């Protein structure tokens, strides 16, 4: 498969971590990724390198590879978000954006590509609710919810943090919540 054709890259050498929902149309995502890659090549004179889950994670050992998600994100220069109709309701997708910002990724390095005229990440996240978010595997959902609860105490502070993730402060930077152990932080 695709994983067998992938190549290793050093931290900082990957141009974009591609964040997408498996529930969105694959043909639309592929067309959007090709368009983005063409624009990148025109601007930089070379083809981009990307981290794409299906190609970068061995699909026979997904759980083991997903433990490295923070490192995969840190190794990329930008976060390319392919926003379709299901993106904002998928817990893994929201966690990727959240983790990017938590680990020091800059908001201006998030590139958003809408897969349809009614797809808006800011709108989706402004209505985000952990209670209605979904994961492909129940075990993934339980593990992620447990980590969120450990960091935030309960779901409401995390929900507020996600809803405000693209709200800008007076310097134009994203507000980022660390956790709720010392009170809510933004």
């Amino acid at each position: 498969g695709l994983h067998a054709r992938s190549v290793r890259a050093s931290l900082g050498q990957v141009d974009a971590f591609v964040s997408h929902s498996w529930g969105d149309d694959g043909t639309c995502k592929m067309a959007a990724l090709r368009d983005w890659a063409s624009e990148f090549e025109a601007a930089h004179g070379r083809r981009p390198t990307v981290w794409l889950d299906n190609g970068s994670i061995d699909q026979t050992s997904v759980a083991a590879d997903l433990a490295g998600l923070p490192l995969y994100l840190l190794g990329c220069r930008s976060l390319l978000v392919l926003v379709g109709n299901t993106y904002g309701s998928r817990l893994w997708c929201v966690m990727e954006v959240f983790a990017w910002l938590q680990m020091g990724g800059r908001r201006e390095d998030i590139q958003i590509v809408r897969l349809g005229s009614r797809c808006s990440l800011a709108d989706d996240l402004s209505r985000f609710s952990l209670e209605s978010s979904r994961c492909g595997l129940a075990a993934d959902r339980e593990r992620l919810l447990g980590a969120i609860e450990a960091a935030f105490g309960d779901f409401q502070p995390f929900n507020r943090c996600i809803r405000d993730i693209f709200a800008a402060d007076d310097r134009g930077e994203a507000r980022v919540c660390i956790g709720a152990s010392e009170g809510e932080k933004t």
Side-chain angles (χ1 to χ4, degrees):
L2 190 56
H3 182 261
R5 296 187 312 218
S6 65
V7 295
R8 293 191 182 274
S10 298
L11 289 177
Q13 289 185 333
V14 178
D15 297 303
F17 180 105
V18 180
S19 180
H20 69 99
S21 169
W22 284 60
D24 289 331
D25 182 84
T27 302
C28 289
K29 290 188 292 186
M30 200 60 191
L33 189 54
R34 282 189 186 113
D35 289 347
W36 175 85
S38 293
E39 290 174 18
F40 182 97
E41 189 170 357
H44 299 279
R46 62 178 178 79
R47 296 167 98 184
T49 56
V50 298
W51 190 96
L52 181 62
D53 55 2
N54 199 18
S56 301
I57 292 178
D58 182 354
Q59 298 300 303
T60 63
S61 64
V62 173
D65 281 353
L66 283 178
L69 182 64
L71 289 175
Y72 304 144
L73 280 164
L74 279 173
C76 298
R77 295 182 185 124
S78 66
L79 178 65
L80 177 61
V81 180
L82 305 179
V83 180
N85 292 326
T86 68
Y87 188 91
S89 66
R90 305 299 295 185
L91 187 51
W92 270 117
C93 297
V94 171
M95 290 300 292
E96 289 167 355
V97 174
F98 178 76
W100 172 265
L101 292 169
Q102 284 296 113
M103 295 183 319
R106 298 178 321 159
R107 182 177 170 210
E108 56 267 22
D109 291 331
I110 299 175
Q111 303 170 59
I112 298 171
V113 176
R114 295 175 7 165
L115 300 178
S117 61
R118 291 183 291 194
C119 299
S120 168
L121 184 58
D123 287 346
D124 284 352
L125 295 185
S126 72
R127 296 183 303 271
F128 179 78
S129 169
L130 271 172
E131 295 81 1
S132 61
S133 65
R134 299 179 314 234
C135 276
L137 298 174
D140 283 353
R141 179 175 165 70
E142 291 306 312
R143 189 169 18 132
L144 290 171
L145 292 177
I148 291 165
E149 192 168 26
F152 286 86
D154 66 46
F155 296 160
Q156 293 314 309
F158 183 80
N159 283 340
R160 282 190 291 277
C161 182
I162 295 301
R163 289 175 190 148
D164 291 343
I165 212 161
F166 282 100
D169 66 15
D170 56 3
R171 294 182 313 257
E173 296 174 358
R175 286 185 257 191
V176 180
C177 298
I178 306 295
S181 59
E182 303 167 31
E184 288 179 47
K185 300 176 183 178
T186 57

